[in-house]
């Protein structure tokens, strides 16, 4: 039986090395079956709803793909895989967004190398249970897992293991019988902070905070953002242009976004603006944002590359907020990228964060808050190291 409560840095590194070692030469064909129903009553269309800027199902897909242990990925409701070459099935719930690749790597080893027929995820809880009394029955409740006269302190009690539903791995022979568990069974203990179940944690903002703090964001380590480049039309502004009778252009922007820019600057992040259109220098100056700006740039990547080089930064230290097809290259290059909710489809596909706010309606402030949360994650990781 495995536990992930106290993983060492060396064990994590060893697990990740399997992506190019054992996982590259699997002894059995393993498929990931992503359990994602479409008819959630609690949260409509839950599995594709954005959680911290990413569709809920995207969090587990990222972890599964980066684990390197699967040869196939199947999105389906509960049921048979229908693929005859599959030897092992990893049933993964889309509602567990804090799943990490290291968990899947260790579980794959338990089945492929350690001889278990099924492995399922559990979490340790320190909760006292009491017997339930049905209405209308004159009975007294009884303790189920404690002696009330000798209530243990949390630190003196190991707690109990509960299934958390994050995943159920099983060999094909069990799956064909309709079983998720059976044969030689083992549990895999997930860290409590990684055990987030959206079926239970239906308070979406709280779930987002948990994911931002404890979720998995990709193979490459996050770096502190030093430069934010923002597109003017459609990000800083709504994209609407007001023209007076004498031909002068008037632009408007949200005060929340101006505050977001100021907060970034106060924390040492350089903020620069870019536009395809030849915006009036006087108009930009009147906004009093204190940002360097380049306008009339049909191709934006060379400009951002120049700024990055000038500031001696790597791309992981660059954040980019764009909304059009002309932003796609920069969105893909940046270590952290985002688009407003009303951005074009091509831009949304190229980013790793989709804002709830529209362009010119608070998207910059929202992205700034997202950057701050991830920078806290970077800083806390640095302290632990």
């Amino acid at each position: 039986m495995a536990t992930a409560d106290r993983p060492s840095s060396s064990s994590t590194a060893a697990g990740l090395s399997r992506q190019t070692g054992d996982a590259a030469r699997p002894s059995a064909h393993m498929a990931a079956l992503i359990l994602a129903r479409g008819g959630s009553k609690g949260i409509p269309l839950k599995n594709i709803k954005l959680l911290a800027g990413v569709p809920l199902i995207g969090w587990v897909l990222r972890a599964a793909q980066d684990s390197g242990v699967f040869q196939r990925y199947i999105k389906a409701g509960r049921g048979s895989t229908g693929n005859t070459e599959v030897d092992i099935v990893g049933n993964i719930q889309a509602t567990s967004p804090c799943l990490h690749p290291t968990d899947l790597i260790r579980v794959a080893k338990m089945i492929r190398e350690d001889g278990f027929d099924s492995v399922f995820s559990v979490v340790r809880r320190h909760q006292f249970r009491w017997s339930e009394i049905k209405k209308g029955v004159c009975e007294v409740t009884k303790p189920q897992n404690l002696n009330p006269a000798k209530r243990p302190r949390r630190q003196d009690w190991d707690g109990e293991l509960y299934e958390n539903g994050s995943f159920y791995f099983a060999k094909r022979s069990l799956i064909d019988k309709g079983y998720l568990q059976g044969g030689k069974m083992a549990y895999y203990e997930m860290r409590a902070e990684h055990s987030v179940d959206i079926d239970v944690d239906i308070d979406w903002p709280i779930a987002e905070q948990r994911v931002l703090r404890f979720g998995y964001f990709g193979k490459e380590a996050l770096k502190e953002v030093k430069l934010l480049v923002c597109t003017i039309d459609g990000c800083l502004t709504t994209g609407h242009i007001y023209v007076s009778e004498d031909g002068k252009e008037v632009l408007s922007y949200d005060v929340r976004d101006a505050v977001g820019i100021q907060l970034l600057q106060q924390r040492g992040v350089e903020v620069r603006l870019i536009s395809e259109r030849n915006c009036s220098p006087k108009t930009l100056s009147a906004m009093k944002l204190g940002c360097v700006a380049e306008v009339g740039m049909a191709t934006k990547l060379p400009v951002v590359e120049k700024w990055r080089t000038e500031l001696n930064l790597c791309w992981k230290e660059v954040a980019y907020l764009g909304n059009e097809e002309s932003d796609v290259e920069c969105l893909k290059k940046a270590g952290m990228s985002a688009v407003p909710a009303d951005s074009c489809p091509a831009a949304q596909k190229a980013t790793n964060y989709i804002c709830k706010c529209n362009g010119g309606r608070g998207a910059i402030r929202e992205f700034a808050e997202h950057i701050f949360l991830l920078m806290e994650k970077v800083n806390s990781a640095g302290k632990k190291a």
Side-chain angles (χ1 to χ4, degrees), residues 311-326:
L311 296 171
N312 194 29
L313 303 176
C314 66
W315 274 105
K316 295 294 290 183
E317 297 171 301
V318 177
Y320 192 93
L321 180 65
N323 71 311
E324 279 294 345
E325 290 190 16
S326 59

Side-chain angles (χ1 to χ4, degrees), residues 34-36 46-66 73 75 92-99 101 204 211 215-218 351-352:
I34 310 298
L35 303 176
K46 172 178 59 184
N47 294 315
I48 58 173
K49 182 178 178 180
L50 295 181
L51 180 72
V54 177
L56 176 58
I57 194 173
W59 291 97
V60 296
L61 279 173
R62 178 190 289 163
Q65 290 172 345
D66 285 359
Y73 304 89
K75 175 183 174 294
I92 303 173
Q93 285 210 118
T95 55
S96 302
C98 283
L99 181 66
W204 208 261
V211 168
Y216 171 71
F217 287 84
T351 190
N352 49 34

